[in-house]
Amino acid sequence: MADIVIIGGCGHVGLPLGLAFAKAGQEVVALDIDAGKVAQTNEGHMPFVDKGADELLLEVLKKGRFRATTDPALIRTAKIVITVIGTPLDEHLNPRLEVYRDLISKDRSHLSPGQLLVLRSTVYPGTTERVARELAQAGFDVDVAFCPERVAQGVALEEIHSLPQIVSGTTPRAEERASELFRLLTDDVIVLPTVAAELTKLYNNAWRYIQFAVANQFYMIANDYGLDFYEIHRAMTEKYPRARGFPKAGFAAGPCLFKDTIQLSSFHQNSFFLGHAAMLVNEGLPNYIVRRAAAKYDLRSLTVGILGMTFKPDCDDPRDSLSYKLKKTLAFEAKEVLCADPYLERPWILSAEEVIRRSGLVFIGTPHSEYKSLDFRGKPVIDVWNAIPGGISSL
Ligand SMILES: NC(=O)c1ccc[n+]([C@@H]2O[C@H](COP(=O)([O-])OP(=O)(O)OC[C@H]3O[C@@H](n4cnc5c(N)ncnc54)[C@H](O)[C@@H]3O)[C@@H](O)[C@H]2O)c1
């Protein structure tokens, strides 16, 4: 028996959420198709970095409040089922609308009457109502809710408690049960209709993606006019409250922001012009940097290094990282490309020291904190983020 089963429970969202509910006194089962992650989690090792999760995982395993499994039959044993599987785009940038249909048709035989089914993935608007309708038509008596996850990767456990929880249900009872569930984590619950809740999540991510695009475009404009973007950035933001939060330039990447901007665009008949413009700017930044670097350095004769391959600093996740795009572009333009990242183990990942020693020019792909104190041996370091002392941020 369990209070809560989380489908996708060993993922970046599912696992911290499960740990948080276990800490709040619930008996939680994390169901996942990845047997490797399930085994690792049951042995008390987090499959990825999340602040504070290593200790909490051990604590809740020891108390018997949390376990991971690959057995979908356990879905039946819980009062509440939460789904947090990935919702990626396809190769043509369309939302994969079939992901939830497939999940529900595969796992629905394990649902039992009276359960609360909470969708926690970021979904295409209308998905929640559709899931509820299909289950009802097939004779399943379950309450269906949508409660999106809004944490930042790497600090999920902290943010689960500090952010308000968005709650929606396809019926008043589903809404009430979902509110009660998330009140276990916080008193701050915002209730919305399902499509409004689905849009809230997409708006949050698209807004952030656009903000990064504005900074990146301003960066390119300043550069193209031979000006220092960070001098302007400082002038814009210093003691100027209305520019508070204006981001620095850098790669806007990862598995969520781009994907959710495109989901929103698809929902709005591909006429989300701001979102598309943001995509062109953000996805174009690696090419821009290489083009500007090629005008200053003879890349064809140089071994170049990239420090940082994950999608953001101090994180171990390489999904949709723009450092890979930088690597591909440099592989075409430069003599040789070497890569380093302290969070990744791959045959082609070297130590930062070796990359610096063997490279004539270094690019910061991801400004991990530890790079700030590296000895770059006097090598030029291209750093659009303006994060590394002595780095070149104006190209
Ligand atoms: N990563 C984030 O920081 C973040 C933040 C907010 C929202 N989200 C959203 O949450 C969702 C999940 O993202 P994620 O980053 O946790 O993905 P993830 O890939 O890290 O986790 C998904 C997990 O689901 C498992 N899985 C896939 N299909 C399954 C199935 N049929 N049955 C059981 N398990 C299955 C996978 O093995 C994986 O462990 C996405 O919709 C994403 O947009 C992610």
Side-chain angles (χ1 to χ4, degrees), residues 8 11-13 32-33 37 87 103 121-122 149 153 259 319:
H12 290 85
V13 167
D32 207 291
I33 49 172
K37 278 200 254 177
T87 46
L103 174 75
S121 307
T122 306
E149 182 60 84
Q153 202 164 306
K259 179 236 332 164
R319 290 181 296 172

Side-chain angles (χ1 to χ4, degrees), residues 7-14 31-34 37 84-87 103 106-107 120-122 149-153 201 255-256 259-260 319:
I7 304 178
C10 292
H12 290 85
V13 167
L31 168 66
D32 207 291
I33 49 172
D34 187 329
K37 278 200 254 177
V84 256
I85 57 163
T87 46
L103 174 75
K106 183 167 81 63
D107 282 342
R120 184 75 165 169
S121 307
T122 306
E149 182 60 84
R150 298 190 299 159
V151 294
Q153 202 164 306
K201 173 62 196 179
C256 290
K259 179 236 332 164
D260 293 339
R319 290 181 296 172

Side-chain angles (χ1 to χ4, degrees), residues 33-350:
I33 49 172
D34 187 329
K37 278 200 254 177
V38 166
Q40 195 182 341
T41 305
N42 280 332
E43 281 160 18
H45 303 297
M46 285 293 293
F48 49 85
V49 174
D50 198 87
K51 207 169 160 202
D54 296 302
E55 304 77 14
L56 183 57
L57 174 61
L58 289 174
E59 184 189 318
V60 295
L61 281 171
K62 201 167 152 203
K63 285 186 176 153
R65 287 220 208 106
F66 180 89
R67 72 195 150 111
T69 183
T70 54
D71 181 5
L74 291 184
I75 292 173
R76 177 169 300 124
T77 67
K79 288 181 241 136
I80 296 166
V81 180
I82 303 177
T83 58
V84 256
I85 57 163
T87 46
L89 303 171
D90 69 14
E91 68 275 33
H92 305 296
L93 299 187
N94 301 304
R96 297 175 99 177
L97 300 174
E98 75 281 9
V99 168
Y100 256 81
R101 193 194 54 215
D102 292 352
L103 174 75
I104 299 300
S105 62
K106 183 167 81 63
D107 282 342
R108 72 184 190 187
S109 59
H110 301 293
L111 292 174
S112 51
Q115 281 179 324
L116 171 67
L117 175 67
V118 179
L119 279 56
R120 184 75 165 169
S121 307
T122 306
V123 296
Y124 185 80
T127 299
T128 312
E129 290 291 344
R130 195 187 163 102
V131 165
R133 202 169 52 240
E134 285 182 1
L135 285 173
Q137 281 166 356
F140 289 91
D141 172 26
V142 290
D143 290 327
V144 180
F146 173 69
C147 308
E149 182 60 84
R150 298 190 299 159
V151 294
Q153 202 164 306
V155 288
L157 260 186
E158 284 182 358
E159 291 198 344
I160 280 170
H161 298 283
S162 64
L163 302 180
Q165 294 291 337
I166 309 285
V167 163
S168 68
T170 53
T171 61
R173 193 176 63 181
E175 186 182 285
E176 186 43 46
R177 288 180 75 186
S179 300
E180 197 183 312
L181 172 67
F182 282 95
R183 278 200 207 98
L184 292 170
L185 304 178
T186 175
D187 292 333
D188 216 347
V189 168
I190 300 173
V191 178
L192 288 173
T194 53
V195 177
E198 290 165 337
L199 279 176
T200 302
K201 173 62 196 179
L202 295 183
Y203 282 6
N204 270 142
N205 277 2
W207 161 238
R208 195 153 167 71
Y209 192 66
I210 291 167
Q211 282 181 310
F212 287 133
V214 173
N216 286 333
Q217 179 126 61
F218 285 1
Y219 171 80
M220 294 182 206
I221 294 171
N223 255 298
D224 291 346
Y225 280 87
L227 296 167
D228 181 346
F229 169 70
Y230 286 102
E231 215 173 70
I232 302 172
H233 186 283
R234 181 171 162 217
M236 274 179 73
T237 54
E238 198 168 283
K239 297 182 195 159
Y240 193 71
R242 284 176 292 290
R244 196 180 294 133
F246 177 59
K248 289 162 75 175
F251 293 160
C256 290
L257 300 189
F258 172 81
K259 179 236 332 164
D260 293 339
T261 303
I262 297 300
Q263 291 213 79
L264 184 54
S265 172
S266 172
F267 178 65
H268 198 51
Q269 296 85 41
N270 294 309
S271 59
F272 177 27
F273 306 120
L274 268 176
H276 281 272
M279 178 186 87
L280 295 176
V281 173
N282 288 333
E283 288 289 308
L285 188 59
N287 283 334
Y288 175 85
I289 294 167
V290 173
R291 202 159 35 79
R292 297 293 300 193
K296 274 195 175 175
Y297 302 92
D298 180 18
L299 292 183
R300 282 179 199 159
S301 68
L302 279 178
T303 292
V304 298
I306 303 177
L307 298 190
M309 299 303 295
T310 60
F311 84 80
K312 67 176 183 176
D314 305 330
C315 154
D316 62 349
D317 191 348
R319 290 181 296 172
D320 299 308
S321 165
L322 282 175
S323 294
Y324 284 72
K325 200 171 207 171
L326 179 66
K327 177 173 175 260
K328 272 191 196 165
T329 314
L330 283 172
F332 188 76
E333 298 292 340
K335 191 173 105 190
E336 188 186 13
V337 187
L338 307 175
C339 302
D341 195 297
Y343 292 94
L344 298 180
E345 277 178 35
R346 306 277 189 277
W348 47 272
I349 296 260
L350 309 171

